[in-house]
Amino acid sequence: MRCEKVMEKLEELSPLMYASEWDNVGLQTGRQDKEVRRIYIALDATDEVVEEAVKKEADMLLTHHPMIFKPVKKITGEHFIGRRLIKLIQHDICYYAMHTNFDVMGMADAAADEIGLKNRKVLETTFEDEISKEGFGRIGRLPKVMTLWECAQLVKNEFGIAHVKVFGDLEADLETAAILPGSGKSMIRAAIDGGADVMITGDIDHHDGIDAKAQGLFIIDAGHFGLEQIFVPYMKEYLNRECKDIEVIAPEQEPPFVVI
């Protein structure tokens, strides 16, 4: 299957129109007429991921976070991004990123499914027409009334996370939750206004956590990686179904840090 046909399948799932204006999604390097027989999926296009894609003789690298965010004025081996781009181009590997378009059309509902969120709605609307509202995150009812401690355990178990950071009373009962994979501090107000008892997200700092708690919103910070790692198995399943002639390599993701 040619790269352009794979792109069509990816954009059927997560159309580019749903990406934020500041984002950089889609094909970042490579030829649209490239024949793709093997795709390597990862959360980030790190040095190790690019090296593995080369070793596995992948024809396409697919990641959630784009490697290129800011304009690139030079592509040289002296810069870490330049080295990755050079290696991808040298080995004729197409590189495609699906970031905020997937956050809106894919990630939000997938994360809500993991914790069994019911009667869910969009947390922050970014697109609306006569048919639907779409946007970042979801808010809805938990599968049952549970304590904050039980909810934290649910998140750990369903996402396979060793540790979470919690702001709030662990014995308090919860009925409604907001979930936003990635960095969620900008959505705290939306979660409060939506009536959530708890917000499950990542990248919450000290002040945002204690301020949210003071306003009646508990926080479970499962980490940016912790929630968004579901991108890899999600896309593997999708590509296996939609591109049956392509081999999909989707190794288990390892956190880019250790907690000591």
Side-chain angles (χ1 to χ4, degrees):
M1 182 181 286
R2 286 156 65 104
C3 174
E4 59 189 354
K5 294 298 182 182
V6 178
M7 290 169 56
E8 286 180 10
K9 290 296 183 181
L10 297 176
E11 290 163 21
E12 284 176 12
L13 173 67
S14 305
L16 300 182
M17 62 182 285
Y18 292 109
S20 299
E21 290 184 2
W22 51 263
D23 204 2
N24 186 26
V25 299
L27 188 66
Q28 301 206 344
T29 64
R31 301 179 290 111
Q32 292 195 26
D33 62 351
K34 163 82 174 181
E35 192 66 28
V36 176
R37 298 182 177 86
R38 184 174 295 143
I39 298 176
Y40 191 98
I41 309 176
L43 191 63
D44 297 279
T46 62
D47 291 337
E48 295 79 9
V49 163
V50 171
E51 187 62 39
E52 279 299 304
V54 171
K55 287 181 179 179
K56 299 294 185 183
E57 298 183 344
D59 301 297
M60 175 181 270
L61 172 61
L62 172 65
T63 69
H64 178 48
H65 297 129
M67 186 198 313
I68 304 173
F69 261 122
K70 299 178 181 178
V72 177
K73 296 183 178 181
K74 295 180 181 179
I75 300 177
T76 71
E78 283 68 46
H79 191 270
F80 71 102
I81 296 294
R83 289 195 298 270
R84 296 173 191 171
L85 293 172
I86 289 169
K87 184 162 287 189
L88 290 170
I89 293 169
Q90 283 177 330
H91 291 87
D92 196 19
I93 298 175
C94 298
Y95 170 51
Y96 190 98
M98 43 198 310
H99 189 210
T100 50
N101 54 320
F102 181 77
D103 285 337
V104 171
M105 301 297 286
M107 184 81 81
D109 279 317
D113 288 342
E114 290 292 330
I115 61 170
L117 209 59
K118 301 183 293 184
N119 303 324
R120 70 187 66 160
K121 299 184 294 184
V122 172
L123 178 60
E124 180 171 277
T125 301
T126 57
F127 176 88
E128 183 175 0
D129 59 17
E130 299 80 10
I131 301 174
S132 65
K133 289 182 179 181
E134 304 295 347
F136 295 120
R138 296 293 183 265
I139 185 169
R141 297 186 67 81
L142 289 162
K144 62 178 182 178
V145 176
M146 61 182 70
T147 65
L148 180 58
W149 186 90
E150 290 172 329
C151 188
Q153 295 301 317
L154 174 68
V155 171
K156 287 173 59 179
N157 292 337
E158 295 303 320
F159 287 90
I161 304 169
H163 305 91
V164 295
K165 182 169 65 176
V166 181
F167 294 87
D169 177 2
L170 293 178
E171 298 303 316
D173 287 332
L174 312 175
E175 295 184 15
T176 61
I179 187 164
L180 180 80
S183 182
K185 62 182 179 180
S186 65
M187 305 290 180
I188 286 175
R189 174 46 55 188
I192 293 171
D193 292 344
D197 297 318
V198 62
M199 183 176 185
I200 303 157
T201 187
D203 295 348
I204 298 297
D205 63 28
H206 172 81
H207 296 289
D208 290 316
I210 61 175
D211 289 350
K213 178 185 173 183
Q215 296 174 85
L217 177 69
F218 298 147
I219 298 288
I220 297 174
D221 185 339
H224 202 121
F225 170 87
L227 298 180
E228 290 197 334
Q229 62 181 312
I230 61 174
F231 170 80
V232 174
Y234 185 104
M235 290 309 304
K236 177 179 172 62
E237 180 180 347
Y238 177 77
L239 288 170
N240 282 339
R241 183 173 67 249
E242 298 295 329
C243 306
K244 298 183 185 298
D245 295 331
I246 295 178
E247 179 186 357
V248 180
I249 302 173
E252 185 174 345
Q253 302 294 283
E254 294 294 333
F257 57 87
V258 293
V259 177
I260 299 175

